[in-house]
Amino acid sequence: MSLINKRSLVLGAAASFFGTMVRADTVPSTAIIFVGASWCPVCKRAAPICKVFAERHNLHVLVASQDARPVEPFPHFVDAREHPIATGVRALPTTLVYLSSADSVVGGFEGYRNPQWYLSTLLQLVREAEGIS
């Protein structure tokens, strides 16, 4: 998977959420990028777990939807087909961790086995990312 133009995805997504230009210094230091689709049964299992994790850890989630529809329980999304990083994603769901101080996606994983696996994998990535900063 090509991880090009990560900042464009994050800033573009943030701008679409807030309807304004977003400065780089206003992007959260660590953010989760969830690439999925509304029709994907695995995404439907992973997305609520991602939301709970983000709420507990006070992290922002940017959803890139492959079918340009909301991925529940996230009502806001960007069209993944218009963002370079998300267009290269073929496995759904794909969960990425963005670190603004590194100005890049610093980790990610594909799929969803079960809630415990998803949470532990995501927690490990976030801890590693925040250890870099």
Side-chain angles (χ1 to χ4, degrees), residues 9 65 78-87:
L9 175 65
S65 174
V78 296
D79 188 339
R81 300 168 296 184
E82 296 178 8
H83 290 278
I85 189 172
T87 58

Side-chain angles (χ1 to χ4, degrees), residues 9-29:
L9 175 65
V10 173
L11 293 178
S16 73
F17 288 153
F18 301 111
T20 181
M21 281 300 287
V22 177
R23 296 188 338 249
D25 62 348
T26 63
V27 174
S29 62

Side-chain angles (χ1 to χ4, degrees), residues 38-117:
S38 66
W39 54 262
C40 171
V42 180
C43 299
K44 290 177 182 182
R45 290 192 301 271
I49 304 300
C50 183
K51 182 175 176 130
V52 168
F53 177 88
E55 288 172 349
R56 287 186 182 160
H57 295 277
N58 198 28
L59 298 173
H60 188 69
V61 179
L62 304 172
V63 176
S65 174
Q66 291 284 4
D67 63 349
R69 297 183 63 187
V71 180
E72 294 299 328
F74 298 104
H76 303 288
F77 65 92
V78 296
D79 188 339
R81 300 168 296 184
E82 296 178 8
H83 290 278
I85 189 172
T87 58
V89 170
R90 297 292 174 242
L92 298 179
T94 294
T95 307
L96 306 168
V97 175
Y98 173 85
L99 187 64
S100 64
S101 63
D103 190 25
S104 66
V105 170
V106 295
F109 60 96
E110 298 172 342
Y112 173 88
R113 294 181 192 160
N114 57 55
Q116 182 179 0
W117 177 86

